[in-house]
Amino acid sequence: MTWRIVHIKESDSLNLKLDNLEILKKGQKYHIPLADISMVIIESNSTITTNLLARFSKYNIALIVCDNKYLPTGLFLNYGNYHRCGKRSQEQLTWDDAIKQLMWQNIVGQKISNQIQFAKYKGIDDNRLDIMIGLYQQLKPGDETNREGHVAKVYFNSLYGMEFTRDTDDLANIAMNYGYAVIRAAIARLTVGQGLMTMLGVFHCNEYNSFNLVDDLMEPFRPLMDYWIDKEILSQFNYLSYQSRLKIIEFLHQPMQYKSTKSTVDQVMLKYVNSFVKAMNERNENAIHNIALSDFIEVGR
C-alpha cells in the first residue's frame, strides 16, 4: 500500500531511477521507491523529467505544484489506468438525478454534521448551535434551499468572528486553502484510481471545473481539516511556515476510526470512495461510509 507523501521544498531536479524517485539537491541524491509514494508536493524551482511523470501516472501518484506563495496551484493525475475504466464510465453515465440528489443530501449532511460537532467542540454559543442544527434538520435532497451555504456562514462567523469571510488574507484562511487543496488532491487521486470521470459530479456541475465529483466527495473531510488546523496550526504558528505546511500535510496520515478498526485518514478516504461507487450503483445513498469528526478526534487522543 502506498503511504509516503513526499514534500520537496527545494531541489535541482527530479528524475526516474530504476522505479525510484531520484531527488538531486545540492549535489546529493536521494531515492524513494515509487511503489511507496501516494503524493508528491513540489515548491520552488525544480525540473522534472517526462519519464518520471509517465511513471507517476502508472503508479497513480498525484503531483501537486505550488506557486510562489507555497499554495497548491496545479495537479497532475493518471489517466485511464483503472482496469475496467470503460465499464466504470458507463455506470457513472447511468446515474440519474434522483440518486444524485439523495447522495448529495447524504454527503452535505455529513459535512454539516461535522461542522456542528466542531462548533460544539469549540464551545460556541448555544443559540448559534441551535441555528445550525435547525438548518441541518431542513436539509432536503439536492439541498435545493442551500442549507449548506447558510450553515457555513453561521459556522465560520461563530469560529472566527462576525467580520470573517473566506476571502480575507489571514492565517486561518491561508491554512484552510492549503489544507483543502491537499484533501482535494488526495480524493482526486483515489477517484481516478477507481476509473471515475472527475468532471461528472453528483451536485457540482461547473462546465469549467474538471473536478466536480472530487469537490462533491471531499466535503465531509473539510471540518476534519478545520479541526486539525485549529489544533496544530492556529495555536502554534503566526504564518504559513515550512513546518506548518508539513504539519497540514500530516493530516492524511493521522489515525482515524473506520467502523470497528483503527485506520488512517487516507485509508478511510479510499474506503469512503469505494463505498460511494457501490452506493451509486446500488442506488442506495445510505451505503456510503459516514465520515464523522468524532472518529477523528477520539482515536487521536
Side-chain angles (χ1 to χ4, degrees):
M1 175 180 288
T2 58
W3 57 276
R4 288 181 185 266
I5 300 175
V6 181
H7 185 277
I8 301 171
K9 183 182 181 185
E10 296 175 354
S11 71
D12 299 321
S13 65
L14 306 177
N15 306 290
L16 177 65
K17 185 70 172 181
L18 298 176
D19 263 10
N20 288 271
L21 166 60
E22 180 183 77
I23 304 170
L24 178 61
K25 182 173 181 178
K26 296 181 180 179
Q28 299 292 319
K29 292 182 179 179
Y30 306 89
H31 296 91
I32 305 172
L34 293 176
D36 292 347
I37 302 172
S38 64
M39 186 184 301
V40 176
I41 302 175
I42 301 179
E43 298 177 356
S44 302
N45 293 322
S46 297
T47 61
I48 186 168
T49 66
T50 53
N51 283 340
L52 181 60
L53 289 174
R55 202 59 61 93
F56 277 1
S57 179
K58 176 181 177 182
Y59 280 91
N60 194 22
I61 297 171
L63 173 65
I64 299 177
V65 180
C66 299
D67 62 18
N68 59 2
K69 294 183 179 180
Y70 308 111
L71 293 176
T73 187
L75 178 61
F76 174 82
L77 297 167
N78 88 68
Y79 176 77
N81 282 345
Y82 181 70
H83 66 290
R84 302 180 74 182
C85 60
K87 181 176 184 294
R88 183 54 49 82
S89 297
Q90 290 296 322
E91 291 172 346
Q92 190 174 355
L93 289 170
T94 65
W95 298 343
D96 60 35
D97 288 342
I99 185 60
K100 288 179 181 179
Q101 290 181 356
L102 290 170
M103 181 57 75
W104 181 243
Q105 181 184 23
N106 185 307
I107 289 174
V108 81
Q110 292 187 33
K111 175 189 179 181
I112 295 173
S113 177
N114 288 333
Q115 288 175 323
I116 292 171
Q117 287 185 52
F118 182 48
K120 286 181 179 178
Y121 173 86
K122 291 296 292 181
I124 72 165
D125 185 80
D126 285 345
N127 290 331
R128 299 189 71 80
L129 276 176
D130 288 341
I131 293 173
M132 294 173 66
I133 293 170
L135 291 167
Y136 172 65
Q137 292 172 342
Q138 297 168 15
L139 186 64
K140 297 179 180 179
D143 190 20
E144 58 187 24
T145 57
N146 192 27
R147 299 298 90 181
E148 177 196 13
H150 293 296
V151 170
K153 181 174 178 58
V154 179
Y155 172 74
F156 285 116
N157 288 156
S158 299
L159 292 174
Y160 303 116
M162 296 304 294
E163 301 301 317
F164 179 86
T165 70
R166 284 288 286 124
D167 299 322
T168 54
D169 190 18
D170 54 28
L171 179 58
N173 265 324
I174 294 170
M176 282 189 284
N177 289 340
Y178 192 95
Y180 295 163
V182 169
I183 293 175
R184 194 180 196 227
I187 295 291
R189 171 183 172 271
L190 297 172
T191 303
V192 299
Q194 289 298 311
L196 294 165
M197 294 180 285
T198 59
M199 69 289 298
L200 298 181
V202 297
F203 175 76
H204 289 90
C205 57
N206 189 328
E207 64 180 301
Y208 304 107
N209 183 7
S210 297
F211 298 97
N212 285 311
L213 181 58
V214 176
D215 292 338
D216 290 333
L217 293 176
M218 67 180 284
E219 294 290 3
F221 292 93
R222 288 179 183 266
L224 277 64
M225 179 60 79
D226 297 344
Y227 164 81
W228 182 247
I229 288 171
D230 179 79
K231 178 174 179 285
E232 299 292 340
I233 306 301
L234 301 184
S235 62
Q236 301 182 43
F237 298 94
N238 296 318
Y239 65 98
L240 195 67
S241 64
Y242 174 63
Q243 292 300 324
S244 69
R245 297 195 297 277
L246 291 181
K247 181 61 68 173
I248 291 173
I249 294 167
E250 287 177 13
F251 167 81
L252 294 176
H253 289 160
Q254 296 310 301
M256 185 173 178
Q257 192 75 16
Y258 180 81
K259 297 182 179 179
S260 61
T261 61
K262 186 176 180 179
S263 191
T264 59
V265 172
D266 58 345
Q267 291 170 351
V268 171
M269 285 178 170
L270 174 59
K271 296 167 184 175
Y272 165 79
V273 171
N274 287 340
S275 72
F276 164 78
V277 175
K278 179 180 179 182
M280 291 300 291
N281 288 335
E282 294 180 354
R283 297 181 54 81
N284 177 13
E285 72 281 1
N286 295 317
I288 188 173
H289 177 65
N290 183 60
I291 302 301
L293 177 62
S294 57
D295 289 339
F296 183 54
I297 294 179
E298 295 301 326
V299 77
R301 287 179 174 173

